[in-house]
Amino acid sequence: MEMTVWELLSWMMMAVIKFLFVPSLMVARGAGPLETILTATAGAVVGIQLFFHFGKLFMKYSAEWWAVLRPNARPRPVFTPGRRRMVRLRDRFGLLGLLALSGFISVPITAMIAAKFYNRIPGVTLWLTLGFAAWAVVLTLLSHWVRSGLAPA
């Protein structure tokens, strides 16, 4: 399948928004395995870089922004049930757990979670990239296997 630049950018943007469906849709459209893996991974890399660094800035300045927007607001409690749950999940599964789930949740959410909890780990964006690349390989090969198994003999 020969892709135009516009189509390639569209597939990459779709990979940023909902990574899980892109390999299957590209295979259904007739793209080859290598083309599918590279396109999905490139889209994930763009999304990771954008949302991870934006997420770090957002986490850094959000408290200050809320203080300016709502100067008379009551301070939020430090320990809430939701925050306890999030810390428990983070402590139990860590970055590898996030990478294992990253294919099911979108690139922006994964990158923002990584920016919140794992921004001090050196090379965390590399780990996210490798995780999404692994997901791209698995989803592409699974899609090709299903497509060849369902094709008429």
Side-chain angles (χ1 to χ4, degrees):
M1 173 177 128
E2 184 139 344
M3 282 198 284
T4 63
V5 172
W6 176 250
E7 192 174 10
L8 177 70
L9 292 174
S10 298
W11 283 115
M12 288 173 61
M13 184 59 64
M14 285 175 48
V16 170
I17 296 169
K18 195 59 183 165
F19 185 84
L20 184 65
F21 300 122
V22 170
S24 298
L25 291 172
M26 286 186 73
V27 167
R29 182 90 163 96
L34 184 62
E35 183 179 24
T36 303
I37 292 168
L38 291 177
T39 303
T41 303
V45 167
V46 169
I48 288 166
Q49 293 301 319
L50 179 71
F51 286 99
F52 182 81
H53 296 295
F54 171 73
K56 280 182 18 181
L57 284 174
F58 179 76
M59 301 301 166
K60 183 178 180 180
Y61 294 113
S62 64
E64 294 172 17
W65 291 336
W66 280 114
V68 169
L69 292 175
R70 299 179 64 192
N72 298 330
R74 231 175 7 142
R76 298 175 109 183
V78 176
F79 295 109
T80 64
R83 288 183 185 181
R84 282 192 194 102
R85 226 174 294 126
M86 187 68 94
V87 168
R88 202 174 319 128
L89 286 172
R90 180 195 68 193
D91 290 345
R92 184 176 294 160
F93 300 109
L95 182 60
L96 290 177
L98 180 64
L99 295 176
L101 291 176
S102 64
F104 297 110
I105 53 181
S106 65
V107 174
I109 293 172
T110 302
M112 295 282 277
I113 291 172
K116 174 70 175 173
F117 293 114
Y118 305 109
N119 64 352
R120 290 185 179 90
I121 295 176
V124 70
T125 55
L126 176 64
W127 283 108
L128 290 174
T129 300
L130 293 174
F132 276 106
W135 271 106
V137 169
V138 168
L139 293 172
T140 300
L141 294 178
L142 185 64
S143 297
H144 273 284
W145 178 71
V146 167
R147 186 174 184 212
S148 66
L150 298 177

